[in-house]
Amino acid sequence: MIPPTSSSTLAGWRLSQSYAKLPDGFHAEAEEYGFAEPKLLVFNHSLAEELGLRFEDAPKEQWAAWLSGQESPPGGGRLSMAYAGHQFGGFTMLGDGRAMLIGEQTDPDGGLWDIQLKGGGPTPFARRGDGLATLGPMLREYLISESMHALGIPTTRSLAVVTTGDQVFRQGIEPGAVLTRVARGHVRVGTMQYAAARQAPSDETDTGDLAHADQIVLMDYAIDRLQREITHVDAPEKYEAWIRHIIDSQAKLIAQWMSVGFIHGVMNTDNMSLSGETIDYGPCAFMDRYDSETVFSSIDTGGRYAYGQQPAVGGWNLTRLAEAMIPVLASTDHRPDEPEIEQAIETVNKLLGAYPDLYNKYFQQVFSRKLGFIRVDDDITKLIDDLLELMSDNELDMTNTFASLANGAPDAALSDWMSSWKKQLASNGIKIEDAIETMSHANPRVIPRNHLVEECLAAAVRGDMDPFNELLSQLQAPYDAPLEKYTAPSPKDAPPYQTFCGT
Ligand code: AMP
Ligand code: MG
């Protein structure tokens, strides 16, 4: 994998095709697909700059052709990834049905970024899907992923949205669009499950034509991309270190979601990235009134992926990942006198056993900062638990409650709690001004509120991008003083908000 080094490439493209060099079973080429009239609608100039792309070096029409898959940029390809996944607990063979990796872009600092188009037409993994995407949901992913980034939460980014000029059939007829997604990597828990499952023929899965060695190639590739510092560690310690790292990064990621009321909505194992980035913005949404049972996704009728379930589901998914890696840990174990499989199972159980404590550690860290503390102890943990319980009992808006602590004017239901909080700050030797300073970077004032997101997407579909652009600019500075409109929760009597998958 030698990325091109010239900085004078067309518009700054420096694409390599490292994923394509993995064994054939891991990918397939997406067919060409012609759109009526691709037009560049949204372009992320600051992200482009980070990637070393030079927008001004090519006309808008050229960007529209590149970022809708009509033409390949220099060095570009059309690769769809194979993966499997536990969807709501059931195991299925999947793959990118409507996404294609056009390559890995080398940024000016030498970092590698997957550049993927979503909605560019059907791929060999499309099953019964049309391979397409619609404007509202692609703008929604753009908005929410950029909001997560501004909140300091690891996430895939959005480089552009191109409208295709085609109509797409969903509940009704909707304008087609393609999103350009940027990620440190797209290898998922489901990719590892796929590598393991295709070695074992069964009725449910495929024909079992990947080898054990292919799974090791995939793991080494992912480590090289995502955790280069352990590339030269000997196996099996290398793979153990990698599992430990993934468990740690997921525990931290989910704690960060919890701290802002983010509900992913479809935490299937194919939607959990080994890069530790939030991925796949389908039915996700932010909670307003604090309630750990909140679910927005129309298909999550059992509440499997409810707000309060996310830490546990993270652990369940990590167990599926570790399971898929046990044979590799066992086969690469050259330590003498140890029965390999038993040893590997014991190792992963130990690694997984650390997850609940890791999650709690990160949860307490992020929530302590939300209350102005810079360390964690049992009294502070109790303060956090009490506040969350009061918020839940009184149906308080999570974002506004935390934001209001700094100006001393939260809901009357919190007055006793406020006294305890101030006492606790004092006994920790923290001045209120210092607490407020800490909190000002931990409690966002603007989140993508559901009614505002819906309003701006409806306007965008009608051709008015002003509300989208205004909301986006507020979301990009979530800790600054917002316009009042952006902090108001939806009315209490509004119908329950519902989100949908695969739209
Ligand atoms: P998701 O729930 O968005 O993670 O999608 C689950 C699977 O369905 C993935 O393999 C997607 O690639 C695939 N998929 C979703 N929508 C479509 C579509 N319109 N056409 C083809 N495949 C799709
Ligand atoms: Mg997905």
Side-chain angles (χ1 to χ4, degrees), residues 292-310:
S292 63
E293 288 175 18
T294 307
V295 171
F296 292 116
S297 170
S298 59
I299 58 169
D300 191 4
T301 46
R304 181 180 170 94
Y305 301 140
Y307 172 78
Q309 288 299 318
Q310 297 186 122

Side-chain angles (χ1 to χ4, degrees), residues 83 87 95-98 126-127 129-132 170 270-271 280:
Y83 48 86
Q87 299 194 301
D96 289 328
R98 55 169 175 172
R127 297 175 291 161
D130 58 10
L132 303 175
R170 291 292 182 262
D270 50 306
N271 293 335
D280 226 317

